[in-house]
Amino acid sequence: MSWPPFPSPPDLSGAARLQRELVNAVELNGDWSKVGLLAALDASIKRGESLVAAAVLWDVQNESVLRVAVAKMPPQKVFPYVPGYLSFREAPVYLAALETLGTTPDALLVDGQGIAHPRGLGVAAHLGVHTGLPSIGVAKSRLFGGAAGVLDQKEGCAVPLCSERALVGTPCREGLQVGWLFRSRTAVKPVYLSPGHKVSMSETLRFVASLPRSTKLPEPLRQAHLWAGRARREGLAEGLVFE
DNA sequence: GCGACAG
DNA sequence: ATCTTGTCGC
């Protein structure tokens, strides 16, 4: 559970170059039926303050939180938020939180896009390729792709999220599926699911739909969101903050 | 030039 | 992402 440091490009063109290079390493297949340990990742930040990340180790079988780790990164070291480049901002602190967890999970569930990204490499896909771990992205809003059809209001329903244009240098043509629009709760805004790494399109939906959820976010991510916010507001120290 | 734009 | 009051529904 020790990974290389996460690269921090000097500018956006350098970041885009890295994304176009790493997108070729993304693997869109894999069986998640035996994923027992899941790590859910989310971050919280307030202007001028540190970026705080929470990694929640989730027991898939028992649907419970096993452990929670918190990591922080000083504002000066935090890459600016630019749509399309979120991984350079959040992945470094996610990596630190994962190391603190002390256990390598079987897979990652990340707050953000997987391959449903302008260059095919959202934060979930990037983190998956960097760590070699299977990953799925769950985003609360759209970055790339359009819904193929009308999404039913009923919870559990889904419609494909398809590419609005071809992505040069990749097999992605216009119209190719890049994820799912998933209604986690009846009459609630849907979430955008997309494969990150080592997972197929169908497994992405099957796995997320199998997770318990009381709100639009699957429970592991909701917990990560709560802990990240709590850690930031209450100034919790870095390290294991639960179990 | 204009609109879109994860967190 | 963050902040915020009221409001609606189970």
Side-chain angles (χ1 to χ4, degrees), chain A residues 43-45 49-53 71-75 78 89-90 93:
Chain A
S44 176
I45 188 172
E49 294 182 13
S50 289
L51 174 58
V52 179
K72 306 187 177 187
M73 178 165 275
V78 178
R89 179 178 176 83
E90 303 194 336
V93 74

Side-chain angles (χ1 to χ4, degrees), chain A residues 44 63 97 157 194 201-202 218 225:
Chain A
S44 176
E63 303 191 334
C157 291
S194 56
M201 197 58 73
S202 57
H225 189 268

